[in-house]
């Protein structure tokens, strides 16, 4: 990582972690079709377990599904990764010489369902696209939220008023939101308490950097 932020007084921020959170134009129009597509797949396939508890996790073959809406989602994933590559490497994605491969899977969480804390080993970027977020119970403020953990070892040991160290980041998803983070970043999804369903497509990007990265 070559991210560097200069502040006044000689202060630098080191070991920054880039996270993208974005709502792509056209997402709201795409989501009803994606809901149907995911429901059809759930009906046809029991899926696999992985990190999900109390929900459905498809096979990791979503990018091979033939519907054009999946193609649109692929384009947004590529755009999101390109957006992150520039501040991370200092080069436009094309200039890095990296070739990307995406694996993706759909998730449906129903009331009580959640994802255990996990990382995505062996990948570079990971993300999630929110198709539907249901209607979380207002008495459960963390219901269905994505929690990102501070990756710095033992940062909570620094006693400081209103410390920024070791604090988790909670993301309140809305339909059409894409969130992307480094695959090593630990994260979990709080139990979905509320009405309806929380439907997402999660993905990993592997990058073959060949011999041009140095
Ligand atoms: Fe994940």
């Amino acid at each position: 990582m070559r991210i560097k932020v200069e502040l006044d007084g000689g202060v630098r921020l080191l070991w920054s972690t880039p996270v993208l959170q974005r709502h792509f134009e056209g997402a709201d129009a795409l989501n009803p079709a994606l809901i149907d597509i995911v429901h059809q797949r759930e009906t046809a396939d029991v899926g696999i377990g992985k990190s999900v508890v109390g929900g459905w996790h498809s096979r990791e073959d979503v990018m091979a599904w033939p519907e054009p809406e999946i193609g649109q989602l692929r384009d947004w994933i590529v755009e999101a990764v390109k957006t992150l590559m520039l501040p991370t490497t200092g080069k436009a994605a094309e200039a890095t010489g990296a070739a990307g491969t995406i694996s993706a899977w759909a998730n449906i969480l129903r009331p009580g369902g959640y994802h255990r804390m996990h990382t995505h080993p062996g990948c570079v970027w990971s993300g999630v696209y929110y198709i539907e977020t249901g209607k979380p119970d207002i008495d459960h403020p963390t219901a269905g939220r994505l929690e990102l953990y501070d990756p710095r070892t033992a940062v909570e040991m620094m006693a400081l008023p209103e410390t920024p160290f070791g604090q988790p980041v909670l993301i309140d998803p809305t339909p059409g939101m894409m969130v992307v983070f480094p695959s090593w970043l630990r994260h979990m999804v709080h139990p979905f308490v509320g009405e309806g369903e929380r439907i997402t497509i999660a993905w990993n990007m592997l990058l073959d950097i060949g011999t041009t990265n140095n």
Side-chain angles (χ1 to χ4, degrees):
M1 293 260 182
R2 299 175 189 171
I3 295 171
K4 184 175 72 172
V5 178
E6 297 286 355
L7 301 176
D8 291 339
V11 178
R12 296 172 64 193
L13 293 179
L14 301 177
W15 303 293
S16 301
T17 304
V19 174
L20 178 145
Q21 182 176 338
R22 181 168 166 187
H23 191 115
F24 285 93
E25 187 157 348
D28 296 333
L30 195 75
N31 286 337
L34 288 173
I35 290 172
D36 288 343
I37 290 167
V38 173
H39 278 152
Q40 288 167 14
R41 298 283 168 168
E42 185 192 26
T43 301
D45 193 337
V46 295
I48 56 178
K50 291 276 185 156
S51 67
V52 70
V53 179
W56 179 73
H57 182 303
S58 80
R59 297 176 194 279
E60 298 180 356
D61 61 355
V62 169
M63 287 295 106
W65 295 0
E67 293 86 351
E69 291 83 3
I70 298 298
Q72 174 63 77
L73 183 59
R74 168 191 286 274
D75 290 346
W76 288 340
I77 291 171
V78 170
E79 188 175 338
V81 168
K82 285 183 175 179
T83 303
L84 281 164
M85 288 289 278
L86 182 60
T88 305
T89 67
K91 300 177 184 175
E94 292 79 359
T96 65
T101 304
I102 303 167
S103 64
W105 58 97
N107 303 288
I108 302 177
L109 290 186
R110 298 192 169 91
Y114 64 98
H115 288 267
R116 289 185 287 263
M117 186 178 74
H118 62 280
T119 59
H120 294 234
C123 306
V124 178
W125 299 106
S126 295
V128 58
Y129 176 78
Y130 295 92
I131 301 171
E132 171 61 73
T133 55
K135 190 176 176 186
D137 187 334
I138 58 172
D139 292 330
H140 294 79
T142 62
R145 288 194 175 186
L146 172 66
E147 180 162 336
L148 307 175
Y149 290 83
D150 190 331
R152 297 166 292 186
T153 303
V155 288
E156 68 278 8
M157 296 180 70
M158 183 173 179
L160 188 68
E162 300 186 24
T163 176
F165 302 116
Q167 299 299 314
V169 173
L170 275 166
I171 293 178
D172 190 9
T174 56
M177 180 189 292
M178 179 86 81
V179 179
V180 187
F181 44 86
S183 300
W184 46 257
L185 189 65
R186 292 181 303 152
H187 57 283
M188 61 90 74
V189 175
H190 286 266
F192 174 64
V193 183
E195 299 174 19
E197 298 174 333
R198 184 183 185 281
I199 305 175
T200 58
I201 291 180
W203 53 270
N204 288 323
M205 173 74 80
L206 289 84
L207 291 175
D208 179 354
I209 59 173
T211 57
T212 58
N213 191 48
N214 51 32

